[in-house]
Amino acid sequence: MSALGPERRALHEKWCGGCRYNIWSCDQRVKFLENSYGNDAIESELDLLEGGHCGAEEGKDVEADVAAENATEVLHVVENGVKMEVAMEDGAGAGSGTGV
């Protein structure tokens, strides 16, 4: 962290991890980058912040985002002419055995 310049250090101070971008929290997205590509956690966090791919905003209600993250979302899907309801919890979905 000490190797970061003052601008990147100030940017990293905005990281909360509990915010959401699409269906994953930003902490979940960092774990994905670490596990899939071997990226460093701090560099991944900064990449998300710099690229505008982090849901962190000044004054954003992170507690509401965490509550939303733990909620169940039901998607209505039609596959091969069959209508299905797919429940997604905690950002799960594709490849998790939920039918998507």
Side-chain angles (χ1 to χ4, degrees):
M1 186 75 163
S2 61
L4 295 177
E7 298 87 15
R8 292 190 94 202
R9 189 174 301 129
L11 179 64
H12 190 263
E13 288 176 8
K14 295 180 181 181
W15 182 262
C16 73
C19 56
R20 297 175 57 85
Y21 183 82
N22 291 330
I23 62 170
W24 287 0
S25 74
C26 287
D27 276 343
Q28 290 171 318
R29 297 174 76 225
V30 166
K31 285 291 181 198
F32 173 80
L33 293 171
E34 287 179 289
N35 295 334
S36 298
Y37 303 106
N39 294 8
D40 177 71
I42 292 175
E43 281 300 317
S44 296
E45 292 167 359
L46 287 168
D47 288 344
L48 292 173
L49 287 164
E50 290 171 337
H53 299 291
C54 173
E57 296 173 13
E58 246 180 76
K60 189 168 184 179
D61 187 353
V62 175
E63 288 182 20
D65 285 343
V66 171
E69 180 179 326
N70 294 325
T72 301
E73 179 181 357
V74 177
L75 300 176
H76 295 92
V77 181
V78 177
E79 187 174 312
N80 296 327
V82 177
K83 293 181 182 179
M84 297 180 277
E85 285 189 352
V86 180
M88 295 178 60
E89 297 179 9
D90 296 326
S96 66
T98 60
V100 175

